[in-house]
Amino acid sequence: MTEDSIIVAGVKVVFDEDFPTLARARAEECVREWIELLPRWLVELRVFSSKSEDAAASISVFEPYRYAQIYLHPSWLRATPGDQSEYVRHEFIHSVTNPLKLVAEHIGDAFDVSNTNPALAKWIRSEIDDAVERATQDFSIAIDRLLAARGLRG
């Protein structure tokens, strides 16, 4: 990976060499806008484009190694600037809620039902994913409301 990096709020932000040139400035704006939401232990954020149409954006967190990778998908590129910002904010919040998801997954795994009851194992994982997704979006909405109440957002 050829490095195209900047430092934002003490975090090294590395853009993948294949990141679309026309979207780079907008992605950097979104990163700068919400970087303070990232956990303090995170020292590097890697930014990638992706061809996946599953979501507008996604994030993978590698806590032991102190970095995260955000993927901006084609629907992010097509979104309005306001939606692009919201999607990045949402993914950054996932980096905060990730430890809760991991603990819940470990608890679910402790029941060791994947071999004896695969349907139950799938349901447990689905419930964990749904709960974390709801909490992440609730945090995102709360941040938006707080900023609006303080006159910092429209």
Side-chain angles (χ1 to χ4, degrees):
M1 176 165 83
T2 302
E3 272 202 16
D4 172 15
S5 66
I6 56 174
I7 303 293
V8 181
V11 176
K12 181 179 181 182
V13 180
V14 181
F15 285 85
D16 181 61
E17 64 184 8
D18 294 328
F19 197 86
T21 305
L22 296 175
R24 167 68 162 72
R26 180 63 191 138
E28 184 178 326
E29 286 175 18
C30 291
V31 166
R32 286 182 183 281
E33 182 178 15
W34 299 113
I35 195 111
E36 297 293 338
L37 292 176
L38 294 174
R40 295 296 166 240
W41 55 258
L42 197 140
V43 297
E44 186 173 305
L45 175 69
R46 300 173 186 173
V47 184
F48 293 89
S49 63
S50 164
K51 295 187 183 344
S52 173
E53 291 287 355
D54 291 343
S58 58
I59 197 164
S60 297
V61 179
F62 304 92
E63 189 172 348
Y65 306 104
R66 307 294 189 235
Y67 76 94
Q69 296 180 167
I70 188 166
Y71 299 87
L72 303 176
H73 307 299
S75 57
W76 183 87
L77 297 170
R78 294 188 301 266
T80 65
D83 285 345
Q84 288 174 332
S85 175
E86 183 179 326
Y87 298 145
V88 169
R89 178 181 67 209
H90 180 93
E91 295 310 316
F92 281 7
I93 294 169
H94 270 300
S95 70
V96 176
T97 60
N98 191 62
L100 300 173
K101 180 178 181 181
L102 293 176
V103 167
E105 288 173 348
H106 291 310
I107 292 168
D109 292 345
F111 289 102
D112 195 26
V113 294
S114 56
N115 291 328
T116 59
N117 193 338
L120 178 59
K122 183 177 179 182
W123 177 82
I124 290 170
R125 188 61 59 135
S126 175
E127 287 297 304
I128 291 167
D129 289 345
D130 289 349
V132 170
E133 195 60 42
R134 284 191 309 272
T136 300
Q137 188 60 17
D138 286 345
F139 282 128
S140 186
I141 291 167
I143 289 166
D144 204 44
R145 288 179 179 166
L146 176 66
L147 293 173
R150 295 191 175 165
L152 300 172
R153 282 184 84 79

